[in-house]
């Protein structure tokens, strides 16, 4: 937030529309295999990036506006426009969305996917447990099948799809061994109009707290670029490295 004080004493404040997050990380005596992986990312051997940062303490991997059901659909949700319309978000970034299911395909399931704004899907760690739920749509009485997550590998090939065993409850699933991304989605089973509301994709099993009423804000799973990188041999053992990296969020 910037502040300007006029000669008359009036105060004007200004906030930029985008405020990229910055992150600094450092490690002492990093093992060779971990150092090699990080070194390849920092030196952009596989490409210019960006890189995904998976925070194990994140409470909701969806973006803040997406988790609250706010904002334009572009980059946040994917669906067949002949079947589904999102109303509200197109009118402004802080306007709540309403889902209108206007038609059903031959299989009777109109699907809507929660997208990552940069990557193929939301980046995940193989073997990690995740919880997916749409409490806003559940509270609105939306006609839906079970909550579902589609898993994809690093080559963007479908691996598996996890489905909740009971309607209207959170899905708790483990990412398959080859999973690198996921697409959380719902499948509507009837025409209707419902408030979109809150949604949650969280690391770990937080189903009980969600059912109890917790609605964690969206932390996002940011795409970031490495802007600074340094490494040196750990004193006493050159096989290990002391490493430091600085990153900035990619916002568009």
């Amino acid at each position: 937030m910037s502040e300007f004080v006029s000669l008359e004493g009036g105060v004007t404040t200004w906030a930029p529309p985008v405020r990229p997050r910055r992150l600094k990380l450092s490690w002492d005596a990093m093992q060779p295999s971990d150092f090699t992986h990080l070194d390849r990312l920092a030196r952009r051997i596989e490409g210019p990036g960006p890189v995904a940062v998976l925070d194990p303490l994140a409470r909701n991997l969806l973006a803040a506006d997406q988790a609250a059901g706010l904002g334009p659909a572009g980059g946040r949700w994917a669906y067949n426009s002949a079947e589904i319309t999102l109303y509200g978000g197109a009118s402004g970034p802080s306007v709540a969305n309403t889902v209108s299911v206007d038609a059903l395909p031959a299989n009777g399931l109109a699907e809507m996917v929660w997208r990552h704004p940069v990557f193929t899907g939301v980046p995940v760690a193989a073997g990690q447990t995740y919880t997916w739920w749409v409490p806003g749509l559940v509270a609105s009485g939306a006609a839906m099948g079970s909550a579902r997550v589609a898993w994809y590998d690093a080559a963007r090939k479908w691996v598996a799809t996890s489905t909740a065993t009971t309607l209207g409850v959170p899905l708790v699933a483990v990412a398959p061994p080859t999973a690198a991304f996921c697409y959380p989605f719902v499948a509507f089973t009837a025409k209707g109009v419902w408030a979109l509301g809150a949604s949650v994709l969280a690391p770990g099993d937080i189903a009980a707290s969600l059912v109890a009423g917790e609605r964690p804000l969206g932390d996002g799973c940011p795409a970031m670029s490495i802007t600074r990188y340094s490494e040196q041999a750990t004193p006493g053992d050159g096989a290990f490295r002391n490493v430091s990296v600085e990153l900035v969020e990619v916002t568009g």
Side-chain angles (χ1 to χ4, degrees):
M1 179 72 70
S2 299
E3 181 179 302
F4 172 76
V5 181
S6 69
L7 294 177
E8 292 81 10
V11 177
T12 300
T13 59
W14 178 82
V18 177
R19 177 73 72 177
R21 288 174 285 186
R22 296 182 182 274
L23 182 64
K24 295 181 180 180
L25 300 170
S26 61
W27 298 265
D28 292 333
M30 178 177 281
Q31 296 187 16
S33 59
D34 293 332
F35 164 72
T36 299
H37 174 73
L38 185 60
D39 185 63
R40 293 179 71 88
L41 292 177
R43 293 165 59 196
R44 299 178 174 87
I45 292 175
E46 272 79 23
V51 299
V53 177
L54 304 182
D55 183 357
L57 299 181
R59 294 288 291 161
N60 191 347
L61 298 178
L62 301 176
D65 53 356
Q66 185 184 41
L70 305 175
R76 296 171 177 83
W77 295 277
Y79 49 84
N80 186 333
S81 59
E83 300 168 1
I84 294 174
T85 304
L86 278 185
Y87 294 103
S91 302
S94 300
V95 180
N97 271 295
T98 298
V99 181
S100 174
V101 179
D102 308 313
L104 295 175
N107 66 358
L109 299 174
E111 296 178 349
M112 188 168 76
V113 177
W114 274 246
R115 299 179 57 190
H116 191 280
V118 177
F119 297 115
T120 299
V122 179
V124 296
Q128 169 76 46
T129 298
Y130 291 90
T131 303
W132 163 239
W133 201 33
V134 284
L137 285 171
V138 171
S140 298
M144 298 181 296
S146 301
R148 304 175 185 182
V149 171
W151 309 97
Y152 287 77
D153 65 16
R156 298 173 175 81
K157 293 183 179 180
W158 175 81
V159 175
T161 298
S162 300
T163 303
T165 57
T166 305
L167 295 176
V169 301
L171 166 66
V172 178
V174 176
T178 59
F181 303 98
C182 79
Y183 283 109
F185 69 102
V186 298
F188 297 98
T189 57
K191 297 180 183 179
V193 180
W194 304 281
L196 178 56
S199 51
V200 180
L201 176 65
D205 181 353
I206 65 167
S209 62
L210 289 178
V211 172
E214 184 177 359
R215 300 291 181 264
L217 298 176
D219 300 306
C221 184
M224 308 192 86
S225 288
I226 297 176
T227 57
R228 293 180 182 272
Y229 167 61
S230 65
E231 58 90 6
Q232 63 179 3
T234 301
D237 191 338
F240 295 85
R241 292 289 190 274
N242 295 342
V243 181
S244 176
V245 294
E246 296 184 19
L247 306 98
V248 64
E249 184 177 8
V250 176
T251 57

PDB file of all heavy atoms in Angstrom, residues 160-187:
ATOM      1  N   ALA A 160      -5.621 -41.861 -13.083  1.00  0.00           N
ATOM      2  CA  ALA A 160      -6.746 -42.478 -12.371  1.00  0.00           C
ATOM      3  C   ALA A 160      -7.713 -41.378 -11.960  1.00  0.00           C
ATOM      4  O   ALA A 160      -7.392 -40.180 -12.019  1.00  0.00           O
ATOM      5  CB  ALA A 160      -6.255 -43.239 -11.140  1.00  0.00           C
ATOM      6  N   THR A 161      -8.902 -41.770 -11.541  1.00  0.00           N
ATOM      7  CA  THR A 161      -9.890 -40.849 -11.003  1.00  0.00           C
ATOM      8  C   THR A 161     -10.387 -41.387  -9.671  1.00  0.00           C
ATOM      9  O   THR A 161     -10.775 -42.558  -9.580  1.00  0.00           O
ATOM     10  CB  THR A 161     -11.077 -40.665 -11.965  1.00  0.00           C
ATOM     11  OG1 THR A 161     -10.617 -40.098 -13.195  1.00  0.00           O
ATOM     12  CG2 THR A 161     -12.130 -39.735 -11.356  1.00  0.00           C
ATOM     13  N   SER A 162     -10.367 -40.535  -8.650  1.00  0.00           N
ATOM     14  CA  SER A 162     -10.873 -40.907  -7.321  1.00  0.00           C
ATOM     15  C   SER A 162     -12.268 -40.336  -7.145  1.00  0.00           C
ATOM     16  O   SER A 162     -12.545 -39.198  -7.545  1.00  0.00           O
ATOM     17  CB  SER A 162      -9.954 -40.369  -6.224  1.00  0.00           C
ATOM     18  OG  SER A 162      -8.653 -40.894  -6.351  1.00  0.00           O
ATOM     19  N   THR A 163     -13.151 -41.119  -6.534  1.00  0.00           N
ATOM     20  CA  THR A 163     -14.546 -40.718  -6.353  1.00  0.00           C
ATOM     21  C   THR A 163     -14.973 -40.975  -4.911  1.00  0.00           C
ATOM     22  O   THR A 163     -14.675 -42.038  -4.361  1.00  0.00           O
ATOM     23  CB  THR A 163     -15.474 -41.509  -7.294  1.00  0.00           C
ATOM     24  OG1 THR A 163     -15.041 -41.310  -8.647  1.00  0.00           O
ATOM     25  CG2 THR A 163     -16.910 -41.056  -7.157  1.00  0.00           C
ATOM     26  N   ALA A 164     -15.639 -40.003  -4.310  1.00  0.00           N
ATOM     27  CA  ALA A 164     -16.147 -40.180  -2.953  1.00  0.00           C
ATOM     28  C   ALA A 164     -17.158 -41.317  -2.919  1.00  0.00           C
ATOM     29  O   ALA A 164     -17.942 -41.496  -3.854  1.00  0.00           O
ATOM     30  CB  ALA A 164     -16.781 -38.891  -2.443  1.00  0.00           C
ATOM     31  N   THR A 165     -17.146 -42.094  -1.862  1.00  0.00           N
ATOM     32  CA  THR A 165     -18.031 -43.254  -1.764  1.00  0.00           C
ATOM     33  C   THR A 165     -19.448 -42.872  -1.365  1.00  0.00           C
ATOM     34  O   THR A 165     -20.381 -43.646  -1.566  1.00  0.00           O
ATOM     35  CB  THR A 165     -17.471 -44.268  -0.748  1.00  0.00           C
ATOM     36  OG1 THR A 165     -17.303 -43.615   0.520  1.00  0.00           O
ATOM     37  CG2 THR A 165     -16.137 -44.809  -1.208  1.00  0.00           C
ATOM     38  N   THR A 166     -19.628 -41.659  -0.810  1.00  0.00           N
ATOM     39  CA  THR A 166     -20.943 -41.217  -0.350  1.00  0.00           C
ATOM     40  C   THR A 166     -21.239 -39.838  -0.904  1.00  0.00           C
ATOM     41  O   THR A 166     -20.356 -38.962  -0.923  1.00  0.00           O
ATOM     42  CB  THR A 166     -21.003 -41.174   1.189  1.00  0.00           C
ATOM     43  OG1 THR A 166     -20.637 -42.458   1.712  1.00  0.00           O
ATOM     44  CG2 THR A 166     -22.402 -40.822   1.672  1.00  0.00           C
ATOM     45  N   LEU A 167     -22.470 -39.609  -1.367  1.00  0.00           N
ATOM     46  CA  LEU A 167     -22.854 -38.311  -1.890  1.00  0.00           C
ATOM     47  C   LEU A 167     -22.821 -37.254  -0.790  1.00  0.00           C
ATOM     48  O   LEU A 167     -23.188 -37.532   0.355  1.00  0.00           O
ATOM     49  CB  LEU A 167     -24.261 -38.383  -2.493  1.00  0.00           C
ATOM     50  CG  LEU A 167     -24.444 -39.268  -3.732  1.00  0.00           C
ATOM     51  CD1 LEU A 167     -25.912 -39.305  -4.128  1.00  0.00           C
ATOM     52  CD2 LEU A 167     -23.604 -38.762  -4.887  1.00  0.00           C
ATOM     53  N   GLY A 168     -22.388 -36.035  -1.157  1.00  0.00           N
ATOM     54  CA  GLY A 168     -22.470 -34.913  -0.240  1.00  0.00           C
ATOM     55  C   GLY A 168     -21.436 -34.874   0.859  1.00  0.00           C
ATOM     56  O   GLY A 168     -21.574 -34.096   1.807  1.00  0.00           O
ATOM     57  N   VAL A 169     -20.402 -35.716   0.795  1.00  0.00           N
ATOM     58  CA  VAL A 169     -19.352 -35.692   1.818  1.00  0.00           C
ATOM     59  C   VAL A 169     -18.002 -35.475   1.136  1.00  0.00           C
ATOM     60  O   VAL A 169     -17.846 -35.727  -0.066  1.00  0.00           O
ATOM     61  CB  VAL A 169     -19.319 -37.008   2.632  1.00  0.00           C
ATOM     62  CG1 VAL A 169     -20.648 -37.240   3.307  1.00  0.00           C
ATOM     63  CG2 VAL A 169     -18.964 -38.185   1.735  1.00  0.00           C
ATOM     64  N   PRO A 170     -16.982 -34.992   1.868  1.00  0.00           N
ATOM     65  CA  PRO A 170     -15.675 -34.755   1.260  1.00  0.00           C
ATOM     66  C   PRO A 170     -15.037 -36.035   0.726  1.00  0.00           C
ATOM     67  O   PRO A 170     -15.228 -37.123   1.268  1.00  0.00           O
ATOM     68  CB  PRO A 170     -14.852 -34.167   2.420  1.00  0.00           C
ATOM     69  CG  PRO A 170     -15.854 -33.626   3.378  1.00  0.00           C
ATOM     70  CD  PRO A 170     -17.035 -34.535   3.272  1.00  0.00           C
ATOM     71  N   LEU A 171     -14.281 -35.865  -0.346  1.00  0.00           N
ATOM     72  CA  LEU A 171     -13.466 -36.952  -0.884  1.00  0.00           C
ATOM     73  C   LEU A 171     -12.087 -36.885  -0.253  1.00  0.00           C
ATOM     74  O   LEU A 171     -11.438 -35.834  -0.274  1.00  0.00           O
ATOM     75  CB  LEU A 171     -13.333 -36.820  -2.404  1.00  0.00           C
ATOM     76  CG  LEU A 171     -12.258 -37.675  -3.079  1.00  0.00           C
ATOM     77  CD1 LEU A 171     -12.586 -39.156  -2.959  1.00  0.00           C
ATOM     78  CD2 LEU A 171     -12.080 -37.287  -4.542  1.00  0.00           C
ATOM     79  N   VAL A 172     -11.620 -37.973   0.327  1.00  0.00           N
ATOM     80  CA  VAL A 172     -10.256 -38.082   0.847  1.00  0.00           C
ATOM     81  C   VAL A 172      -9.560 -39.158   0.027  1.00  0.00           C
ATOM     82  O   VAL A 172     -10.020 -40.308  -0.001  1.00  0.00           O
ATOM     83  CB  VAL A 172     -10.243 -38.446   2.347  1.00  0.00           C
ATOM     84  CG1 VAL A 172      -8.800 -38.594   2.838  1.00  0.00           C
ATOM     85  CG2 VAL A 172     -10.973 -37.383   3.152  1.00  0.00           C
ATOM     86  N   ALA A 173      -8.489 -38.782  -0.677  1.00  0.00           N
ATOM     87  CA  ALA A 173      -7.837 -39.718  -1.591  1.00  0.00           C
ATOM     88  C   ALA A 173      -6.337 -39.510  -1.554  1.00  0.00           C
ATOM     89  O   ALA A 173      -5.838 -38.420  -1.232  1.00  0.00           O
ATOM     90  CB  ALA A 173      -8.357 -39.519  -3.015  1.00  0.00           C
ATOM     91  N   VAL A 174      -5.601 -40.560  -1.910  1.00  0.00           N
ATOM     92  CA  VAL A 174      -4.142 -40.522  -1.976  1.00  0.00           C
ATOM     93  C   VAL A 174      -3.720 -40.391  -3.433  1.00  0.00           C
ATOM     94  O   VAL A 174      -4.200 -41.147  -4.298  1.00  0.00           O
ATOM     95  CB  VAL A 174      -3.531 -41.796  -1.364  1.00  0.00           C
ATOM     96  CG1 VAL A 174      -2.018 -41.792  -1.513  1.00  0.00           C
ATOM     97  CG2 VAL A 174      -3.920 -41.913   0.107  1.00  0.00           C
ATOM     98  N   ALA A 175      -2.842 -39.438  -3.723  1.00  0.00           N
ATOM     99  CA  ALA A 175      -2.347 -39.261  -5.083  1.00  0.00           C
ATOM    100  C   ALA A 175      -1.580 -40.502  -5.522  1.00  0.00           C
ATOM    101  O   ALA A 175      -0.719 -40.993  -4.786  1.00  0.00           O
ATOM    102  CB  ALA A 175      -1.442 -38.034  -5.163  1.00  0.00           C
ATOM    103  N   PRO A 176      -1.867 -41.043  -6.702  1.00  0.00           N
ATOM    104  CA  PRO A 176      -1.167 -42.235  -7.194  1.00  0.00           C
ATOM    105  C   PRO A 176       0.347 -42.013  -7.290  1.00  0.00           C
ATOM    106  O   PRO A 176       0.810 -40.860  -7.329  1.00  0.00           O
ATOM    107  CB  PRO A 176      -1.783 -42.460  -8.582  1.00  0.00           C
ATOM    108  CG  PRO A 176      -3.115 -41.786  -8.519  1.00  0.00           C
ATOM    109  CD  PRO A 176      -2.921 -40.603  -7.619  1.00  0.00           C
ATOM    110  N   PRO A 177       1.133 -43.101  -7.340  1.00  0.00           N
ATOM    111  CA  PRO A 177       2.604 -42.987  -7.343  1.00  0.00           C
ATOM    112  C   PRO A 177       3.168 -42.150  -8.483  1.00  0.00           C
ATOM    113  O   PRO A 177       4.248 -41.570  -8.346  1.00  0.00           O
ATOM    114  CB  PRO A 177       3.057 -44.447  -7.451  1.00  0.00           C
ATOM    115  CG  PRO A 177       1.933 -45.237  -6.883  1.00  0.00           C
ATOM    116  CD  PRO A 177       0.688 -44.499  -7.248  1.00  0.00           C
ATOM    117  N   THR A 178       2.472 -42.077  -9.628  1.00  0.00           N
ATOM    118  CA  THR A 178       2.983 -41.322 -10.769  1.00  0.00           C
ATOM    119  C   THR A 178       2.294 -39.973 -10.940  1.00  0.00           C
ATOM    120  O   THR A 178       2.557 -39.264 -11.915  1.00  0.00           O
ATOM    121  CB  THR A 178       2.831 -42.133 -12.062  1.00  0.00           C
ATOM    122  OG1 THR A 178       1.438 -42.438 -12.260  1.00  0.00           O
ATOM    123  CG2 THR A 178       3.639 -43.424 -11.990  1.00  0.00           C
ATOM    124  N   ALA A 179       1.431 -39.596 -10.003  1.00  0.00           N
ATOM    125  CA  ALA A 179       0.662 -38.355 -10.155  1.00  0.00           C
ATOM    126  C   ALA A 179       1.553 -37.132  -9.980  1.00  0.00           C
ATOM    127  O   ALA A 179       2.422 -37.083  -9.113  1.00  0.00           O
ATOM    128  CB  ALA A 179      -0.479 -38.315  -9.147  1.00  0.00           C
ATOM    129  N   ALA A 180       1.328 -36.121 -10.828  1.00  0.00           N
ATOM    130  CA  ALA A 180       2.015 -34.835 -10.720  1.00  0.00           C
ATOM    131  C   ALA A 180       1.027 -33.672 -10.673  1.00  0.00           C
ATOM    132  O   ALA A 180       1.355 -32.601 -10.171  1.00  0.00           O
ATOM    133  CB  ALA A 180       2.980 -34.640 -11.886  1.00  0.00           C
ATOM    134  N   PHE A 181      -0.171 -33.883 -11.227  1.00  0.00           N
ATOM    135  CA  PHE A 181      -1.214 -32.860 -11.249  1.00  0.00           C
ATOM    136  C   PHE A 181      -2.555 -33.512 -10.944  1.00  0.00           C
ATOM    137  O   PHE A 181      -2.723 -34.722 -11.089  1.00  0.00           O
ATOM    138  CB  PHE A 181      -1.315 -32.185 -12.631  1.00  0.00           C
ATOM    139  CG  PHE A 181      -0.042 -31.564 -13.121  1.00  0.00           C
ATOM    140  CD1 PHE A 181       0.774 -32.234 -14.017  1.00  0.00           C
ATOM    141  CD2 PHE A 181       0.321 -30.299 -12.706  1.00  0.00           C
ATOM    142  CE1 PHE A 181       1.944 -31.661 -14.482  1.00  0.00           C
ATOM    143  CE2 PHE A 181       1.493 -29.712 -13.159  1.00  0.00           C
ATOM    144  CZ  PHE A 181       2.304 -30.396 -14.051  1.00  0.00           C
ATOM    145  N   CYS A 182      -3.529 -32.677 -10.555  1.00  0.00           N
ATOM    146  CA  CYS A 182      -4.882 -33.190 -10.387  1.00  0.00           C
ATOM    147  C   CYS A 182      -5.896 -32.170 -10.877  1.00  0.00           C
ATOM    148  O   CYS A 182      -5.623 -30.958 -10.916  1.00  0.00           O
ATOM    149  CB  CYS A 182      -5.164 -33.578  -8.938  1.00  0.00           C
ATOM    150  SG  CYS A 182      -5.540 -32.189  -7.838  1.00  0.00           S
ATOM    151  N   TYR A 183      -7.052 -32.680 -11.291  1.00  0.00           N
ATOM    152  CA  TYR A 183      -8.200 -31.861 -11.647  1.00  0.00           C
ATOM    153  C   TYR A 183      -9.332 -32.192 -10.684  1.00  0.00           C
ATOM    154  O   TYR A 183      -9.976 -33.236 -10.808  1.00  0.00           O
ATOM    155  CB  TYR A 183      -8.671 -32.163 -13.071  1.00  0.00           C
ATOM    156  CG  TYR A 183      -7.840 -31.580 -14.185  1.00  0.00           C
ATOM    157  CD1 TYR A 183      -7.045 -32.404 -14.973  1.00  0.00           C
ATOM    158  CD2 TYR A 183      -7.861 -30.222 -14.459  1.00  0.00           C
ATOM    159  CE1 TYR A 183      -6.290 -31.889 -16.007  1.00  0.00           C
ATOM    160  CE2 TYR A 183      -7.107 -29.692 -15.497  1.00  0.00           C
ATOM    161  CZ  TYR A 183      -6.331 -30.534 -16.269  1.00  0.00           C
ATOM    162  OH  TYR A 183      -5.572 -30.017 -17.296  1.00  0.00           O
ATOM    163  N   PRO A 184      -9.629 -31.341  -9.713  1.00  0.00           N
ATOM    164  CA  PRO A 184     -10.822 -31.565  -8.897  1.00  0.00           C
ATOM    165  C   PRO A 184     -12.058 -31.127  -9.684  1.00  0.00           C
ATOM    166  O   PRO A 184     -12.037 -30.093 -10.366  1.00  0.00           O
ATOM    167  CB  PRO A 184     -10.588 -30.668  -7.674  1.00  0.00           C
ATOM    168  CG  PRO A 184      -9.698 -29.579  -8.179  1.00  0.00           C
ATOM    169  CD  PRO A 184      -8.858 -30.163  -9.272  1.00  0.00           C
ATOM    170  N   PHE A 185     -13.131 -31.906  -9.622  1.00  0.00           N
ATOM    171  CA  PHE A 185     -14.315 -31.542 -10.393  1.00  0.00           C
ATOM    172  C   PHE A 185     -15.577 -32.119  -9.761  1.00  0.00           C
ATOM    173  O   PHE A 185     -15.513 -32.955  -8.853  1.00  0.00           O
ATOM    174  CB  PHE A 185     -14.180 -31.990 -11.851  1.00  0.00           C
ATOM    175  CG  PHE A 185     -14.216 -33.487 -12.081  1.00  0.00           C
ATOM    176  CD1 PHE A 185     -15.368 -34.104 -12.554  1.00  0.00           C
ATOM    177  CD2 PHE A 185     -13.094 -34.277 -11.858  1.00  0.00           C
ATOM    178  CE1 PHE A 185     -15.402 -35.471 -12.786  1.00  0.00           C
ATOM    179  CE2 PHE A 185     -13.113 -35.638 -12.093  1.00  0.00           C
ATOM    180  CZ  PHE A 185     -14.280 -36.246 -12.555  1.00  0.00           C
ATOM    181  N   VAL A 186     -16.711 -31.612 -10.235  1.00  0.00           N
ATOM    182  CA  VAL A 186     -18.004 -32.148  -9.840  1.00  0.00           C
ATOM    183  C   VAL A 186     -18.781 -32.471 -11.107  1.00  0.00           C
ATOM    184  O   VAL A 186     -18.497 -31.937 -12.189  1.00  0.00           O
ATOM    185  CB  VAL A 186     -18.818 -31.155  -8.969  1.00  0.00           C
ATOM    186  CG1 VAL A 186     -18.087 -30.850  -7.680  1.00  0.00           C
ATOM    187  CG2 VAL A 186     -19.114 -29.875  -9.745  1.00  0.00           C
ATOM    188  N   ALA A 187     -19.770 -33.343 -10.984  1.00  0.00           N
ATOM    189  CA  ALA A 187     -20.637 -33.705 -12.098  1.00  0.00           C
ATOM    190  C   ALA A 187     -22.079 -33.464 -11.680  1.00  0.00           C
ATOM    191  O   ALA A 187     -22.584 -34.109 -10.760  1.00  0.00           O
ATOM    192  CB  ALA A 187     -20.419 -35.161 -12.495  1.00  0.00           C
TER     193      ALA A 187
END
